[in-house]
Amino acid sequence: MTTIDVAIDDYLHTIVRTRPWTKKREEELLEGFSAWLQAQPAPPINMNEIGPALADQYAATVPLSKAEHTELLGALNHLFMWSVHTAMVQHNPFATVAA
């Protein structure tokens, strides 16, 4: 089972070469989300445990602005699209919620 930290690291290593203009912002968003997950009492760190409800909970807790929340959903969508492509996960739970 792939953890979100491993997926984020692998994904960021890929986009630094393919989409360097998005790497800094996506790294900031994804690492903030991951750090928040790690701080939870029973952290859901496996990729198959991550979904839009957790992103919404994070956005409300931190709190994120509506624009930042939308950016986070987009970054998670990109992460999961890449994870499906590399067979780390079977489906992208963010495909229908990301702008």
Side-chain angles (χ1 to χ4, degrees):
M1 193 61 47
T2 302
T3 67
I4 190 159
D5 287 337
V6 168
I8 289 171
D9 285 345
D10 289 350
Y11 170 69
L12 292 174
H13 284 11
T14 299
I15 69 167
V16 76
R17 295 184 307 271
T18 60
R19 291 191 349 254
W21 59 91
T22 65
K23 191 237 182 220
K24 182 178 179 182
R25 183 61 178 150
E26 287 195 8
E27 179 177 28
E28 180 182 306
L29 291 163
L30 293 171
E31 288 186 352
F33 179 66
S34 179
W36 176 81
L37 285 174
Q38 297 294 331
Q40 300 310 298
I45 57 171
N46 290 321
M47 290 291 284
N48 65 349
E49 299 174 296
I50 309 297
L54 276 173
D56 294 346
Q57 184 181 353
Y58 169 69
T61 302
V62 171
L64 296 180
S65 70
K66 184 172 174 74
E68 290 169 324
H69 187 200
T70 300
E71 281 185 294
L72 174 65
L73 292 174
L76 287 165
N77 181 45
H78 293 154
L79 172 66
F80 273 84
M81 283 187 338
W82 178 83
S83 296
V84 167
H85 177 74
T86 59
M88 285 187 186
V89 296
Q90 292 186 359
H91 85 290
N92 177 359
F94 294 92
T96 59
V97 297

